[in-house]
Amino acid sequence: MKKKDIYLDAIPLEEAKSIFFGELERAGIFSKKSVEEINVSESLGRITAEPIFARISSPHYNAAAVDGIAVLSERTYGASETTPVILSKGEFEVVDTGDPLPPNTDSVIMMEDVNFISDEKVEIIFPALPWQNVRLIGEDVVATELIVPENHRLRPQDIGAILAGGHVNIKVYKKPVFAIIPTGTELVNPGEELKPGDIIEYNSKVFKALLAEWGAEALIFEKHKDDYYRIKETVEKALKIADGVIINAGSSAGREDFTANIIKDLGKLLVHGVSIKPGKPVILGLVENKPVLGIPGYPVSAFLTMELFAKPLVLRMQGQSFTEREKIRAICTRRIVSSIGSEEFIRVKIGKIGDEFVVSPLHRGAGTITSLVRADGILRIPANKEGIDAGDCVEVELLKDKKEIENTVVIIGSHDVAIDILANEVKRRYPEINLSSANVGSMGGIMALKRKEAHAAGMHLLDVDTGEYNIPYIRRYLKDEKIVLVNLAFREQGLIVMKGNPKNIKGIEDLKRKDITFVNRQKGAGTRLLLDLKLKQLNISPEEIKGYDREEFTHLAVAAQVAGGTADCGLGILSAAKALDLDFIPVSPERYDLAILYEYFEMEAVQKVLEVLRSSEFKEKLKALGGYDTSLTGEIIGGD
């Protein structure tokens, strides 16, 4: 293994772009566009390498625009209901749409305006105007007329116009070809059996899809172990057959990160480290007059740096300009803390509540690819800011169509797998409607309703004094709001334990055992409140429980920690335990409701969500998960 140097700066994003693209400009990367000739029918999305002029006119003959009779218009002058004009055979000819206009005619009368006296005589009661209902030569395009200019990305309608203009083949710029080299000893192919430490290699497939979306082709090389000389050899091979190289992973400053040194040894290392988060270790270089990018291995870092550097690179190599996505102004629902010195890119969910767009941050880990799946937009926090306060108005770059976001019902509050099932059923039945959920706990949901940041909140809050669920909390914290409370389901809360229950855990009282490690839910979660009530009833102090302060935000996350062996048990719902094939010890049944702000209750999208909620299909899918009682699902429990 070659000894490596540690070389990792952190320069501002715009400076990194200036250095990289400035060097590529000087190297002539953007002026070296190869041309190829292809069939017009296969040209969708390609970039024209020359202007395309019509070879023929379209139509190339005078054509009937309707079904009817072709006539010489002057023979119909004076026709009216009282003085009809009679035309004999030879003075008219029956034509169909698209037929050439017969000689000595200049007009077509629609069939419904013609009275056939016989096969050889017709009666006309309206005069025809010259060239009436006739498609003249060149009506669409005239020979030698420009159809599309050079440097134009071809659309379906362009293809039709080019074919109509007499072309079969056209010249376009060749697609840039990028070699993708996945690196990492820990990588395994999708579908292979996994063992601890293995990571499924899927970044290369994401890169290939992104490159295709931007108009380039990808050559994916076999994944490489962390071996300096093998990776270097592959980069040299890739440079011979590709217009650029993307090396995935190995871009940081660890003992097995070789990308920077390989680029430096083979060519010119331009940038190693940009002050962005995630994506700081990105590497930008030039080897043999070709761009080489070292993209970080974490999937969110990889996606972001591909968007920031590879996308404008690919577009400029095709002579195309980079167009930013649509941006909107929105209200931030929660405080977001950020580090000064790095520009941070936060994935967010977006909803429209009343007249305002609101955003909620998603999981910020660089390894959470699903945060990109769930994200509606990207919120940038400048490098000179420590974060954003709740209530601040921010600018958000949209990842989805604005109309799609406007048709989103926002549910914030306690996590339940049932909400995910409901979201899927809503999308299946009403593709135009989205259901967005954020997991902040039952109390977090109540506060979101209070601040008008959601249409509805999921909750399961037991009032110790009355033994009643949810309504006492709504009256206490939302006394100034009209709320409609709709039951989602009754469900079973219990201890989620490893399969076979190896620690022989029987109930809450066992949590104080020294050999038991617990994983808790976050403060404000109904599950956390239930646990605290049970501990109080058993006179157990939270300090006695190993892991009480360790928090997760969903039932599935709790179950995942138990399944992964980092905790012996956690309090959650039966469906989460079943989902990960774990055992379950019942503790307490409870009622889970949706609290809906009355002002949004009659919204069409909300009513369609409730329609799905009440459907037999949804109830059956919920019951199949296990641990749910749907006897009151969809019913209004109460309202204030």
Side-chain angles (χ1 to χ4, degrees), residues 533-546:
L533 172 63
K534 294 296 182 182
L535 293 178
K536 185 177 180 181
Q537 291 172 344
L538 294 169
N539 199 29
I540 298 175
S541 168
E543 287 75 21
E544 297 180 70
I545 300 175
K546 183 181 177 183

Side-chain angles (χ1 to χ4, degrees), residues 327-376:
K327 295 178 181 177
I328 61 169
R329 303 294 293 178
I331 304 299
C332 193
T333 63
R334 300 207 298 275
R335 185 163 195 269
I336 305 174
V337 178
S338 186
S339 303
I340 284 184
S342 291
E343 183 176 2
E344 187 163 6
F345 294 73
I346 308 291
R347 286 84 71 200
V348 295
K349 294 293 292 181
I350 310 173
K352 190 172 186 182
I353 312 299
D355 295 327
E356 298 278 4
F357 286 101
V358 297
V359 298
S360 300
L362 288 163
H363 196 291
R364 294 162 74 176
T368 54
I369 185 70
T370 53
S371 68
L372 288 169
V373 176
R374 299 187 181 108
D376 299 319

Side-chain angles (χ1 to χ4, degrees), residues 342-599:
S342 291
E343 183 176 2
E344 187 163 6
F345 294 73
I346 308 291
R347 286 84 71 200
V348 295
K349 294 293 292 181
I350 310 173
K352 190 172 186 182
I353 312 299
D355 295 327
E356 298 278 4
F357 286 101
V358 297
V359 298
S360 300
L362 288 163
H363 196 291
R364 294 162 74 176
T368 54
I369 185 70
T370 53
S371 68
L372 288 169
V373 176
R374 299 187 181 108
D376 299 319
I378 298 288
L379 166 62
R380 290 192 184 195
I381 301 180
N384 61 353
K385 290 193 68 173
E386 291 184 330
I388 295 170
D389 289 326
D392 281 357
C393 186
V394 295
E395 187 176 65
V396 184
E397 181 181 345
L398 297 184
L399 297 176
K400 293 182 179 177
D401 186 83
K402 187 176 177 181
K403 189 68 177 176
E404 186 177 352
I405 293 170
E406 289 174 339
N407 282 340
T408 297
V409 175
V410 180
I411 298 178
I412 293 179
S414 174
H415 171 257
D416 193 289
V417 181
I419 298 293
D420 297 331
I421 302 299
L422 179 62
N424 185 72
E425 285 297 294
V426 168
K427 195 66 177 175
R428 184 177 66 85
R429 189 175 297 193
Y430 298 109
E432 74 279 9
I433 294 176
N434 299 290
L435 194 155
S436 168
S437 61
N439 307 314
V440 297
S442 296
M443 284 304 301
I446 284 181
M447 293 300 105
L449 292 183
K450 189 178 182 72
R451 295 190 298 266
K452 301 293 180 71
E453 295 169 355
H455 299 108
M459 60 183 65
H460 56 108
L461 294 167
L462 175 63
D463 182 66
V464 179
D465 297 329
T466 64
E468 191 174 11
Y469 273 95
N470 300 325
I471 292 177
Y473 286 87
I474 291 172
R475 288 174 176 162
R476 190 178 311 154
Y477 294 101
L478 298 172
K479 58 185 177 182
D480 297 327
E481 300 290 342
K482 292 186 69 176
I483 301 293
V484 180
L485 197 64
V486 178
N487 179 246
L488 181 72
F490 288 85
R491 64 185 191 180
E492 188 73 48
Q493 285 267 26
L495 292 173
I496 299 173
V497 299
M498 288 291 290
K499 192 75 173 175
N501 193 9
K503 292 287 182 79
N504 194 29
I505 298 170
K506 297 178 180 177
I508 297 292
E509 60 277 4
D510 287 326
L511 298 185
K512 63 180 181 180
R513 284 167 41 188
K514 300 301 181 184
D515 64 328
I516 301 296
T517 300
F518 184 71
V519 57
N520 209 349
R521 288 292 305 280
Q522 80 279 18
K523 293 181 179 68
T527 301
R528 174 76 163 256
L529 296 175
L530 174 63
L531 173 68
D532 291 344
L533 172 63
K534 294 296 182 182
L535 293 178
K536 185 177 180 181
Q537 291 172 344
L538 294 169
N539 199 29
I540 298 175
S541 168
E543 287 75 21
E544 297 180 70
I545 300 175
K546 183 181 177 183
Y548 178 88
D549 293 326
R550 180 182 172 193
E551 299 178 347
E552 292 290 347
F553 278 76
T554 69
H555 295 286
L556 284 173
V558 168
Q561 296 309 315
V562 175
T566 62
D568 297 309
C569 69
L571 192 61
I573 56 178
L574 175 59
S575 60
K578 288 186 67 175
L580 297 186
D581 195 28
L582 300 169
D583 281 354
F584 185 81
I585 302 163
V587 170
S588 176
E590 64 176 8
R591 196 182 80 217
Y592 184 98
D593 298 326
L594 293 178
I596 306 170
L597 285 169
Y598 182 76
E599 60 192 283

Side-chain angles (χ1 to χ4, degrees), residues 26-103:
R26 287 186 289 275
I29 299 295
F30 304 126
S31 60
K32 296 184 298 186
K33 296 192 285 287
S34 299
V35 176
E36 64 179 338
E37 188 170 297
I38 63 171
N39 190 281
V40 175
S41 300
E42 305 299 322
S43 66
L44 181 65
R46 300 300 296 272
I47 310 299
T48 54
E50 61 184 11
I52 299 176
F53 296 93
R55 288 178 172 171
I56 60 174
S57 296
S58 177
H60 60 275
Y61 59 90
N62 294 327
V66 296
D67 296 340
I69 61 169
V71 299
L72 185 63
S73 57
E74 64 184 39
R75 289 176 177 163
T76 69
Y77 293 164
S80 68
E81 291 185 2
T82 56
T83 58
V85 169
I86 307 297
L87 299 177
S88 300
K89 190 171 184 179
E91 295 179 308
F92 73 91
E93 186 172 329
V94 176
V95 291
D96 295 323
T97 302
D99 284 349
L101 202 65

Side-chain angles (χ1 to χ4, degrees), residues 171-192:
K171 291 181 178 179
V172 297
Y173 291 125
K174 285 185 177 179
K175 292 183 177 183
V177 178
F178 278 80
I180 301 171
I181 306 172
T183 70
T185 304
E186 70 280 6
L187 297 180
V188 297
N189 291 322
E192 289 185 21

